[in-house]
Amino acid sequence: MRTKSSKMEKLPSECTTIIVGEKMTDDGSRIYARSEDFDALRCKNWLVFTDTENGPEEFVADDSRFRCPLPKRALGYTALPDYQYHHEWGSAGFNSAGVGESSTETIFSSKKALQFDPYVEDGLAENCTYNIVLPYIHTAREGVERLGALIEKYGSAEGFGIGFIDDKEIWYLENACGHRWLACRMPKDKYFVTGNQSRFRKYDPNDKENFMASSDLIEFAEKNGLYDPAKGEFDFHEAYAKDDIDDTTYNYPRVWGLQGMFSPGIKNDVTKNTFPVFAKANNPIGIKELRRAFRFHYDNTEHDPYLHSNGKEPWRPVSIFRTTQTHLMQVRSWLPKEIGCITYVANGMADLGVFLPIYQGVKSFPQAYSIGNSYCDDESAYWRFRKVMTLGMTNYNAYAPVIKEAYARLEAENDQRQKEFEARYLEIYKESPMQAQDMLQKFSDSLLNHALEVADGLVKELFTRMTKDIQAEYLFHGA
């Protein structure tokens, strides 16, 4: 019987975010990346929405009681929603103007701040923040302005951090209690890491180039005893954010581990929240480095839960089994947006998954990527990838290397194929844009379909190995 998991709604929706400025990447691109960690049974459907002059004039949420009016004109966009919510929980992608959004990083305001400006039960919840913003903006800055206005008008139903990326800049917004928020522009020469915790500290209301915020952010904090000017400069985290014992094992270690990976010279103490908000990496950070980062689980240390088969490990890894998808949104502003804006997506657990490219210019995905629900099947892409990682987790130390080797080989092949394809695309794009579009669609379909073939092959390989292993354990050979 195909039924929804009884525990599905009770699992925490929590993520890890990494942002990299263009002077910190290996090719001058901008990158915004996030994992979505919720429930392994939440099948993700990949969807493409088209531009429309006659869109819905009201948004009515299915997964909350929020509703709001919408402009009739809407841009097309790609989305990665949960299977049962195609018009909300869009999660990540680019619109047809080349603006990307990632929504959301679950964060938490302090109990004290919420006493004075509580969350609004029917207000703007995480499930709504993608589909009511991305189709209506033409720049990353506009995204912050629209989202900020919605927070102030309707109030937030919960805590969240949301990012926007375009061909000029990256912005990240953290809300603070019910109606207040702060957004910072990503420094070009730094990277940013967060895991389920508000990270911002500095705010200069006079620096309009690098900050946007609710108008009374500092005054409200001072009025209600959240900030004392006599003790120094305003600190957003100190004034508004939750920071308690749970963060020391669930959130701190991820920031500590990722900053240690990129910046080993930074002497962070994993037990103290003194991590720099923006940091410089020892080496440029590109797509390959981010794949590795989102597969991080304190590899080969005493805190590696998979190496030690320890599901009770107190340090929460970046890569966990209940991840539904991880996305790496990249903007290469020197290329046409159709291929310059790209989202690499790994369905399921990144450590045992494969990152596949979604070009902004694609008009559709192979059907397998757009179907599936909470019950395993043989057709949907999500479940075909999920089978591989589920089998891998039954004996991680024996089977994970098989999966990792196959997917590393596929990612390397795809990287080379993309390089060759993009060169051909640029040759004909200016003279024959429609031909270039047809090429792009055909290339995308080919890459995505081949990945399914690789996953199906891994299922057969893993079942064969499991059969051999079980037979050896329960042989009961004769005399």
Side-chain angles (χ1 to χ4, degrees):
M1 182 178 179
R2 300 190 178 197
T3 58
K4 187 187 294 186
S5 167
S6 61
K7 295 183 179 180
M8 181 175 291
E9 303 299 336
K10 298 179 182 179
L11 291 174
S13 175
E14 296 166 349
C15 315
T16 303
T17 293
I18 306 174
I19 309 173
V20 190
E22 62 266 37
K23 291 185 178 180
M24 195 74 264
T25 61
D26 57 356
D27 60 359
S29 64
R30 296 175 183 84
I31 306 176
Y32 191 109
R34 179 174 63 88
S35 63
E36 182 181 288
D37 308 327
F38 188 22
D39 185 339
L41 297 177
R42 280 281 180 118
C43 173
K44 305 299 289 188
N45 294 170
W46 297 16
L47 303 178
V48 178
F49 296 92
T50 58
D51 289 14
T52 180
E53 297 287 330
N54 195 32
E57 296 184 64
E58 184 181 34
F59 175 84
V60 179
D62 293 324
D63 198 26
S64 71
R65 290 188 287 183
F66 178 77
R67 59 199 303 157
C68 71
L70 295 173
K72 291 187 69 174
R73 177 180 294 180
L75 296 171
Y77 60 101
T78 55
L80 307 170
D82 295 343
Y83 70 91
Q84 74 275 54
Y85 300 124
H86 280 189
H87 292 279
E88 57 183 78
W89 285 113
S91 189
F94 287 94
N95 67 23
S96 55
V99 182
E101 179 178 352
S102 178
S103 170
T104 73
E105 177 79 29
T106 300
I107 62 175
F108 303 89
S109 297
S110 70
K111 291 181 179 180
K112 185 175 181 180
L114 291 172
Q115 288 178 357
F116 302 104
D117 183 14
Y119 293 137
V120 179
E121 184 177 355
D122 298 340
L124 185 63
E126 293 183 284
N127 59 304
C128 310
T129 51
Y130 186 83
N131 300 70
I132 67 170
V133 176
L134 187 61
Y136 309 102
I137 59 175
H138 293 80
T139 67
R141 188 178 286 264
E142 278 185 24
V144 173
E145 292 169 346
R146 177 171 173 80
L147 178 58
L150 289 167
I151 293 170
E152 293 177 23
K153 181 175 182 178
Y154 297 101
S156 301
E158 54 200 333
F160 49 73
I162 295 175
F164 300 93
I165 182 171
D166 64 18
D167 62 353
K168 294 182 176 61
E169 53 191 7
I170 304 174
W171 284 85
Y172 182 65
L173 178 150
E174 294 181 344
N175 69 348
C177 50
H179 299 80
R180 280 147 189 95
W181 56 277
L182 170 64
C184 299
R185 186 170 73 158
M186 183 67 203
K188 296 179 180 180
D189 60 345
K190 302 282 182 64
Y191 71 91
F192 171 87
V193 173
T194 185
N196 301 131
Q197 193 175 33
S198 173
R199 299 273 296 123
F200 287 156
R201 292 189 178 273
K202 180 182 177 182
Y203 167 49
D204 181 354
N206 297 315
D207 184 356
K208 306 298 184 182
E209 284 296 306
N210 295 300
F211 299 99
M212 287 187 274
S214 46
S215 59
D216 67 342
L217 186 69
I218 296 178
E219 291 79 6
F220 179 85
E222 184 176 352
K223 175 185 175 182
N224 292 290
L226 306 175
Y227 163 56
D228 181 358
K231 294 182 178 180
E233 291 186 353
F234 175 76
D235 184 317
F236 178 78
H237 180 90
E238 291 290 334
Y240 287 103
K242 168 187 169 293
D243 202 332
D244 58 29
I245 190 64
D246 292 335
D247 295 294
T248 62
T249 55
Y250 199 83
N251 301 329
Y252 292 6
R254 278 180 283 163
V255 177
W256 172 84
L258 291 173
Q259 288 192 351
M261 177 186 295
F262 296 138
S263 312
I266 298 177
K267 302 305 180 184
N268 286 327
D269 182 341
V270 70
T271 68
K272 297 178 181 178
N273 194 356
T274 54
F275 315 111
V277 177
F278 302 107
K280 285 199 173 186
N282 285 26
N283 298 297
I285 301 172
I287 294 299
K288 292 180 181 178
E289 288 73 27
L290 287 171
R291 290 171 185 157
R292 176 171 166 250
F294 280 98
R295 288 170 171 144
F296 178 68
H297 49 84
Y298 316 107
D299 308 45
N300 302 312
T301 72
E302 62 179 314
H303 291 285
D304 186 337
Y306 312 133
L307 175 67
H308 302 297
S309 302
N310 179 17
K312 304 299 182 182
E313 164 57 47
W315 284 17
R316 197 272 215 195
V318 173
S319 184
I320 59 177
F321 183 74
R322 60 184 175 87
T323 300
T324 55
Q325 55 84 12
T326 300
H327 53 268
L328 318 175
M329 301 171 60
Q330 182 180 39
V331 174
R332 298 172 294 173
S333 55
W334 59 92
L335 295 172
K337 71 179 188 318
E338 289 80 3
I339 62 169
C341 298
I342 186 168
T343 308
Y344 292 90
V345 180
N347 268 338
M349 180 185 191
D351 186 51
L352 298 179
V354 59
F355 283 91
L356 302 170
I358 297 177
Y359 285 98
Q360 185 275 331
V362 298
K363 303 300 183 183
S364 65
F365 301 113
Q367 185 183 21
Y369 286 84
S370 301
I371 62 173
N373 55 34
S374 63
Y375 195 88
C376 180
D377 63 57
D378 296 325
E379 291 79 36
S380 69
Y382 180 87
W383 279 109
R384 287 156 80 175
F385 290 119
R386 179 61 76 180
K387 287 177 187 178
V388 174
M389 57 197 67
T390 300
L391 292 172
M393 289 296 287
T394 63
N395 189 344
Y396 184 90
N397 292 312
Y399 302 150
V402 179
I403 300 170
K404 289 172 177 283
E405 181 180 355
Y407 282 160
R409 185 164 55 245
L410 179 58
E411 287 176 349
E413 291 172 358
N414 285 348
D415 289 345
Q416 183 59 34
R417 288 190 177 120
Q418 286 177 251
K419 184 177 180 181
E420 294 171 1
F421 162 75
E422 290 171 5
R424 295 195 305 272
Y425 180 95
L426 291 174
E427 287 177 0
I428 67 168
Y429 173 76
K430 289 185 179 180
E431 299 297 328
S432 305
M434 295 304 293
Q435 184 181 349
Q437 171 60 42
D438 291 343
M439 283 177 54
L440 174 58
Q441 190 64 53
K442 184 177 180 181
F443 177 71
S444 175
D445 289 347
S446 174
L447 233 61
L448 296 181
N449 282 325
H450 179 58
L452 292 176
E453 294 172 357
V454 173
D456 292 345
L458 277 169
V459 169
K460 295 174 183 177
E461 173 67 21
L462 292 169
F463 256 104
T464 301
R465 290 177 182 243
M466 289 179 73
T467 302
K468 182 179 178 181
D469 292 345
I470 293 171
Q471 176 172 268
E473 180 71 18
Y474 297 95
L475 186 58
F476 303 121
H477 55 78

